[in-house]
Amino acid sequence: MPFPLRPAPAFQPPYMELIIGARRLPAQHARPLVRCGIDDPAALLYNNTPARDDCFHPRPKSRESRNLMAVSFKENDLIWNDTHGIGRITLFDEEGILIEFDTGAEELFETGPKKHPPLVKLDPAGFLLQFRTEPDAMRALAAEKPADIVALLHTDFGDTLKDAQIQRIVSGRAIEPDAWAEWWKSVQAALKDDPRFNLEKNSVQYLGDMVEIAGDLLHEFKTARNLKERQRAARKILKMEEKGVPVDDAKEAAILFFAGTAANASNTLGARLEALLFLETLDSVEYRRQKTSIEDRVKNQDVQDAAQALADITDKIIAGRLLDIYKDLLADVFIDIAFTLTKRYKKQQRDWILDSLLEDENSEYIKIVLDAVLRDVPTNQQPFVWFGMRMLEKPEKLMELGYDRADIVRRFFKLLLDAHITSAFSSNPKDGPSVSREEDEIKKFLLQKKNIVKLLKKHPDEIVLQFAHSYMDNKALSDEDKKEMLNLMRETWTSLNFEAAAAAAAAGGAASEIALTQEAYDKYESEYRDIVDVQMPEISKEIGRAREFGDLSENAEYHAAKEKQGMLASRMRYLERLLETASIISQ
C-alpha cells in the first residue's frame, strides 16, 4: 500500500513539496508537475490523481524511487543518445521515457532508482542543437575557432569529455570524417594555450569561462590550508595570467600574503626567501623592497647561522638562491660556510653544497675546498668521502681541476681501511664491533656492485685494475662481496687480467697489513706523541674556555673545539693501531 501523501501547505505550481506521514521530504525530492495544469493541490493527491489524458503524475512506489528524473527530463525535451542521435521526449513517467528520434525511430528507455538511461538533455546553447539549426555556422566555427566547438560540447556533456566522444559527435557534422585527424591536432594545439581547458590523457577537461577561472583561483588561494598549497595556487595564478585570465584579485591576494611572509622577521630566512621568489614574478616593486630587508639580515649572520640557514632549507632552488646571496654578501667567510656544511651536517647537506660548488661557473670555490681536504684527509673525512664517490661518478669535471683519479681511488680505499681499523680498535668487545659513519657510507656505495661496474666503464683499464686490486685487498669488505665483485668484473672486462686482484682476495686481505720503513715508523710515532702530549691537552683547554661563553646549544666555539677533539681522538686511535701492528722493513 502506498504512503499517504499530501501537498505542502504553500503550493507553488509547477512544483510541490511532498510530505510522507508527518515527515517533510528533503527539498531535492520536490516533484515537478508535468502537463497537469491543475491549481488545486487537493486534486493532486497521489491517491486521487484525476483521470485525464493530458495529466499524469506518477505515484512513487517507495522513497528510493523518488529520484530526480522528473527534474532532469520533461516531455518535449530534446535529448542525445549515442546510438540514435538527437530525439524528442514524447512521453515520460517513472517507468520509462519514450523518445522519437530525428531518424524516425521510437524507443522506450526504462527509468528507476538503479536504472540510468543513456540520455543527455541538450542545451539550446550547446553544439548539437546549434548545429541542428545552423550547420554552416558551426562548420565555420570549427574551422576558425576549434576550441570554441569543444566548449560548446561541454555545455551539453559536462566538464570532462573523452577524445573518442568528441570524435563521435563532431566527425561527420562540423568536420568531414577524413579530415578528423588533422583537425584534432589543431584542436589540441589550441587547447594547450587556452586557459579554459586542461588536456589530459585521452580526454579534455573544461575549467569554465575566464571569469569563473579567475574566481576559482582566488578561492583556491584564500582557502589554501598551508604554505605549499598557497605556493601551488600562486603558480596557477601566474600561469593563467600568461594565458589571458583576468587574475587581478587573486594576484593581489597572493602579493599581500607573500609580502607579509617575506617581511616577517620571525620567519626563517628560508621561508622569507621563498616568499621573495614569488614576489619577483608577482610584484617587482615589492620584491625589491623585501629583498633589501632580507639582505640586511644576511649581512648580520655569522658562519654558523649562515650554514644552519642553508641546512634548514629543503628546496634546492631556494637553497641555491641563498647560496648565491652568501657569495655576494658574505664573500670573506663563504668558504668557511661551505666547510661547515660539509663537516657538521648530514650527508644530504654535505653532498648538496659540494655538488653546487662543483657545478658553479667559478671553479675557484670547489678547488679551495678540495685542496684543503686533500691536505688533511683524516680531519676532513666527510668531504673526502664525497670526493672519492664523485671521482668514480663524474671523473671529467674533477680531472679538469687537476686531480689525479688514481691517487683519489687509492686514498678512498685507504680511508675505508683506516676507518675500519679505527672502529675495530675503539669498539667495546662486550658491545660488538662499531662502524663509523665514513666506513658505513663507503661500504654501502661499494656494495652496489652493478652500479660500480657501470661507473667503472667511464674509466681506463688501468683504473679498473687498480680498483679491482684495492677492492680485493681491503679488510673492510667481506670475502663473499669480494668474490661477487671479482666475478662481475671478469664478466665485464674479459680481456683484462684480474689475477693480482684474485690473489689478494684469496689471501684474505693479508696484503693490507702495513709495512713501514724505520723512517716512516718514526714519523707516525712523532705525530702520535704530538697529539697525545701537545694537541689533546691544548684542545681540552679550548673546550674549557668555550664553556665559559654560556649556553652550549648555541656556542659555536665550543662545538668547533669538540669537533676538533673528536678528529684528533680518531687520528690518535688510528696511529695507535698502526704502530702496534706495523712491521719494520728495510729500504
Side-chain angles (χ1 to χ4, degrees):
M1 178 177 179
F3 290 110
L5 304 174
R6 58 185 176 81
F11 173 71
Q12 297 291 336
Y15 288 90
M16 66 180 294
E17 199 171 40
L18 299 181
I19 296 179
I20 299 181
R23 208 146 46 100
R24 187 183 301 270
L25 288 181
Q28 65 264 30
H29 293 297
R31 304 289 291 178
L33 306 182
V34 181
R35 292 182 55 191
C36 288
I38 299 176
D39 295 332
D40 181 9
L44 294 171
L45 294 177
Y46 286 142
N47 290 340
N48 190 26
T49 303
R52 290 173 47 182
D53 292 336
D54 64 341
C55 178
F56 72 92
H57 209 307
R59 177 184 303 168
K61 295 180 179 179
S62 67
R63 181 166 181 170
E64 284 187 357
S65 71
R66 288 187 293 274
N67 53 55
L68 295 180
M69 290 299 300
V71 176
S72 301
F73 297 106
K74 64 180 183 296
E75 290 183 24
N76 291 320
D77 277 348
L78 292 171
I79 60 86
W80 167 265
N81 174 260
D82 285 343
T83 303
H84 299 288
I86 298 176
R88 184 184 300 275
I89 297 177
T90 57
L91 185 63
F92 169 75
D93 64 19
E94 76 161 350
E95 300 295 337
I97 302 176
L98 182 63
I99 298 175
E100 182 180 343
F101 290 98
D102 286 359
T103 59
E106 270 194 341
E107 186 157 342
L108 179 66
F109 294 87
E110 294 185 7
T111 61
K114 295 184 179 180
K115 295 178 180 178
H116 304 287
L119 305 173
V120 176
K121 182 178 178 179
L122 297 179
D123 191 310
F127 167 77
L128 284 167
L129 292 188
Q130 290 201 56
F131 182 83
R132 197 173 188 237
T133 56
E134 299 180 72
D136 291 339
M138 289 296 101
R139 292 189 183 101
L141 187 65
E144 298 170 7
K145 297 181 178 180
D148 286 353
I149 290 291
V150 180
L152 292 176
L153 288 171
H154 284 288
T155 301
D156 284 327
F157 296 95
D159 292 342
T160 302
L161 280 172
K162 297 289 185 183
D163 297 356
Q165 187 179 8
I166 297 174
Q167 181 178 7
R168 188 164 54 248
I169 297 169
V170 175
S171 181
R173 291 183 173 83
I175 299 296
E176 294 298 327
D178 58 356
W180 163 259
E182 184 178 350
W183 182 80
W184 184 237
K185 286 182 181 179
S186 69
V187 171
Q188 290 179 311
L191 297 183
K192 283 181 181 178
D193 297 324
D194 194 318
R196 298 174 297 170
F197 301 95
N198 181 33
L199 274 178
E200 299 177 348
K201 186 177 181 180
N202 301 323
S203 66
V204 178
Q205 183 183 14
Y206 182 64
L207 304 177
D209 61 28
M210 296 292 200
V211 175
E212 290 173 334
I213 294 171
D216 290 343
L217 289 172
L218 177 60
H219 177 75
E220 181 178 351
F221 187 85
K222 287 186 173 181
T223 57
R225 294 169 295 181
N226 52 51
L227 179 60
K228 290 299 180 185
E229 288 188 3
R230 287 188 185 277
Q231 292 170 346
R232 190 159 50 245
R235 292 187 185 98
K236 282 187 183 179
I237 291 171
L238 293 171
K239 183 178 179 181
M240 289 303 180
E241 183 181 39
E242 292 176 358
K243 293 185 175 184
V245 177
V247 296
D248 292 348
D249 291 342
K251 191 173 179 180
E252 182 180 357
I255 291 171
L256 289 173
F257 173 78
F258 288 117
T261 303
N264 191 342
S266 65
N267 288 333
T268 66
L269 190 57
R272 295 181 66 187
L273 185 61
E274 195 167 15
L276 183 69
L277 295 187
F278 278 94
L279 287 175
E280 188 174 13
T281 50
L282 288 167
D283 187 329
S284 58
V285 175
E286 188 64 30
Y287 165 76
R288 288 192 293 271
R289 190 167 71 86
Q290 297 301 335
K291 183 172 183 268
T292 301
S293 173
I294 291 175
E295 288 177 347
D296 289 341
R297 176 174 171 180
V298 167
K299 291 174 184 176
N300 294 320
Q301 285 187 308
D302 59 23
V303 170
Q304 183 59 40
D305 288 341
Q308 186 64 55
L310 279 170
D312 288 340
I313 299 173
T314 57
D315 189 302
K316 292 182 179 180
I317 295 177
I318 306 300
R321 290 293 292 268
L322 183 57
L323 194 67
D324 290 338
I325 293 174
Y326 284 157
K327 290 176 190 174
D328 293 336
L329 302 182
L330 299 178
D332 293 342
V333 294
F334 177 73
I335 293 298
D336 295 329
I337 295 171
F339 256 121
T340 301
L341 275 171
T342 66
K343 297 166 71 173
R344 296 190 188 176
Y345 291 89
K346 295 180 180 179
K347 176 182 182 297
Q348 180 180 0
Q349 284 84 11
R350 179 204 72 192
D351 289 356
W352 174 79
I353 183 65
L354 291 170
D355 285 334
S356 298
L357 296 181
L358 183 62
E359 298 301 326
D360 195 280
E361 293 180 358
N362 185 355
S363 60
E364 179 183 354
Y365 296 121
I366 190 66
K367 193 76 168 62
I368 292 172
V369 171
L370 294 183
D371 285 350
V373 168
L374 290 180
R375 283 195 298 270
D376 192 4
V377 172
T379 57
N380 293 288
Q381 294 183 12
Q382 274 298 304
F384 186 79
V385 171
W386 172 91
F387 197 178
M389 292 190 296
R390 291 299 182 272
M391 180 57 84
L392 290 169
E393 294 169 340
K394 303 177 181 179
E396 298 84 5
K397 185 72 174 179
L398 291 170
M399 290 176 64
E400 285 176 10
L401 297 174
Y403 297 111
D404 180 4
R405 62 179 145 194
D407 178 58
I408 301 304
V409 170
R410 179 186 62 79
R411 291 188 185 214
F412 190 59
F413 279 99
K414 183 178 184 301
L415 175 59
L416 173 60
L417 180 61
D418 290 350
H420 178 71
I421 293 174
T422 301
S423 297
F425 180 75
S426 60
S427 297
N428 187 331
K430 294 181 180 180
D431 299 331
S434 63
V435 178
S436 68
R437 173 181 169 185
E438 293 76 21
E439 179 183 0
D440 181 63
E441 187 176 351
I442 295 174
K443 286 178 70 174
K444 285 180 178 177
F445 175 74
L446 292 176
L447 292 179
Q448 299 175 38
K449 302 178 185 68
K450 291 183 178 179
N451 183 56
I452 290 295
V453 168
K454 182 179 179 181
L455 295 177
L456 286 173
K457 291 179 180 179
K458 304 176 183 179
H459 299 270
D461 290 349
E462 56 267 26
I463 296 297
V464 174
L465 289 170
Q466 178 195 357
F467 183 94
H469 189 275
S470 298
Y471 199 103
M472 303 307 146
D473 197 31
N474 202 292
K475 282 186 172 181
L477 300 167
S478 72
D479 292 343
E480 184 179 348
D481 287 323
K482 293 177 184 179
K483 182 178 179 181
E484 186 178 343
M485 174 58 83
L486 184 60
N487 289 336
L488 274 174
M489 297 184 78
R490 279 173 165 165
E491 292 172 4
T492 306
W493 290 275
T494 55
S495 62
L496 296 184
N497 186 351
F498 291 99
E499 293 308 316
S512 294
E513 294 293 343
I514 299 177
L516 299 175
T517 63
Q518 187 63 52
E519 181 183 359
Y521 184 90
D522 292 342
K523 176 184 174 182
Y524 285 123
E525 186 178 34
S526 175
E527 181 186 356
Y528 174 74
R529 296 312 320 169
D530 181 65
I531 292 175
V532 173
D533 298 335
V534 179
Q535 296 187 57
M536 289 298 280
E538 180 58 34
I539 198 64
S540 296
K541 292 178 183 178
E542 288 184 23
I543 291 173
R545 288 193 295 267
R547 286 181 182 276
E548 297 175 0
F549 294 141
D551 185 7
L552 298 182
S553 64
E554 299 183 2
N555 190 327
E557 290 80 1
Y558 172 79
H559 289 293
K562 287 292 289 182
E563 181 180 4
K564 185 176 180 181
Q565 184 187 49
M567 291 177 178
L568 286 173
S570 176
R571 181 64 174 171
M572 182 180 69
R573 289 193 297 268
Y574 167 71
L575 291 172
E576 285 176 347
R577 180 69 174 174
L578 175 66
L579 295 171
E580 284 180 1
T581 58
S583 60
I584 306 298
I585 61 172
S586 61
Q587 289 290 349

